[in-house]
Amino acid sequence: MSETKTLLILPGDGIGPEVMSEVLRVIEWLARHRGVTFEVGQGLVGGASIDAQGTPLAEETMARAMAADAVLLGAVGGPKWEALPFEQKPERGLLRLRKEMALFANLRPAPVFDALVDASPLKPEIVRGLDIVIVRELTGGVYFGEPRGISDLPGGGRRGVNTQVYTTEEIVRIARVAFQLAAKRHRRLCSVEKSNVMESGVLWRQEVQALHDAEFADIELSHMYADNCAMQLIRDPRQFDVIVTDNLFGDMLSDEAAMLTGSLGMLPSASLGEADADGRRRALYEPVHGSAPDIAGRGVANPLASLLSFAMCLRWSFDLAAEADLIEAAVKGVLDGGMRTADIMQPGKARVSTRVMGESILRELDKLTA
Ligand code: IPM
Ligand code: MG
């Protein structure tokens, strides 16, 4: 295959650069040992970009992201930039990437690794074997709906407005991704909204049901209110296979699902656009965790969510399932071997730094391919 595969790496803020450098080492390993090479570019996003060029995302970086086969992002945000006006915050850089690349489908798997069953705050018998995926709509809803803003009221005081809005087209395309994913898994889809209080939720439920009846009648579909789903995720998370939900509920439920697995530091995500005629889609991969400013720069962050995001990238953007499997097996291997970063530390295990965790992954990759 002579076609060059282009990757744009945007490490971002906080622990982003630290975890991303471990991904870079795995990228080098793939070149050396598997002959899989990428043309890797790097750029700035978020606070790092604000500090260097006065904007959370430069036009030039946006253009490179549009042209890349895939974007790998670390994390954005931090206390340093919190007081900035809304449009200039680090998070706007990420939101703009999602919106302009039209990455409407956000896949957030939350598998519980056997070795980490005890790291979950829930009882082992509730989470053992858990394997769910949240499919979150990512370019619509209250995150982008108009009108929005803060205005002064004539009599004093102010008014803050955001708009939750979904169209048939937006609902159907995200539901289709979720049904297709469920078809490759345990064939169960739970659609989550608040149709008891929101018209956008009523429409969501109707459109998902209609798509089911028309094209995916062989997938078991259920509907759930978002508050109940938050509760069911704690009560009995294994009842779920794939969950599809809107931007805001997906944001919240995926943090909750992440915690079931023991650590936000373990969870990857893929954000995908519509496939073109050749089956190619724009894509961005990032860990679900944030920039963790409290531990940034100390070399203790968990790089596994970023590495697993890179594995998703190999699988979804480059059809490199064998290499993706290898990385996932290496992660499992180091965990089984007792390596733990601080966030997943357990009694009797070896507490290691970001760097040592990365090195252990490389050693495990060597072993798996020896
Ligand atoms: C996420 C994050 C983002 C979001 C922030 C950083 C804008 O929480 O990816 O879940 O709210 O979508
Ligand atoms: Mg979030």
Side-chain angles (χ1 to χ4, degrees), residues 76 91-92 94-95 98 106 108 136 138 143 247 250-252 254-255 269 286-288 290:
V76 294
E91 287 79 0
R92 294 312 297 181
L94 173 58
L95 294 173
R98 290 176 180 170
N106 183 213
R108 298 190 162 186
R136 168 190 176 192
L138 203 59
Y143 272 59
N247 205 342
D251 181 45
M252 296 189 282
S254 60
D255 266 30
S269 81
E286 56 174 322
V288 172

Side-chain angles (χ1 to χ4, degrees), residues 112-118 266 304 327-341 344 346-350 357 360-361 364 367-368:
V112 168
F113 290 87
D114 282 340
L116 293 184
V117 161
D118 294 314
M266 291 300 301
L304 296 180
I327 292 173
E328 287 166 3
V331 168
K332 188 175 178 304
V334 298
L335 293 174
D336 288 343
M339 297 279 173
R340 299 287 187 273
T341 42
I344 49 175
Q346 295 163 293
K349 304 297 179 192
M357 184 58 101
S360 312
I361 293 286
E364 193 68 26
K367 240 199 299 178
L368 287 165

Side-chain angles (χ1 to χ4, degrees), residues 122-142:
L122 294 196
K123 296 190 192 84
E125 62 268 29
I126 301 222
V127 296
R128 184 171 286 112
L130 177 70
D131 174 24
I132 58 182
V133 180
I134 296 189
V135 177
R136 168 190 176 192
E137 200 290 326
L138 203 59
T139 51
V142 77

Side-chain angles (χ1 to χ4, degrees), residues 248-266:
L248 183 61
F249 296 142
D251 181 45
M252 296 189 282
L253 295 174
S254 60
D255 266 30
E256 189 187 351
M259 225 26 236
L260 300 176
T261 71
S263 168
L264 212 46
M266 291 300 301

Side-chain angles (χ1 to χ4, degrees), residues 216-227:
F216 297 98
D218 54 338
I219 303 289
E220 186 187 318
L221 173 66
S222 58
H223 301 276
M224 205 178 263
Y225 299 142
D227 53 343

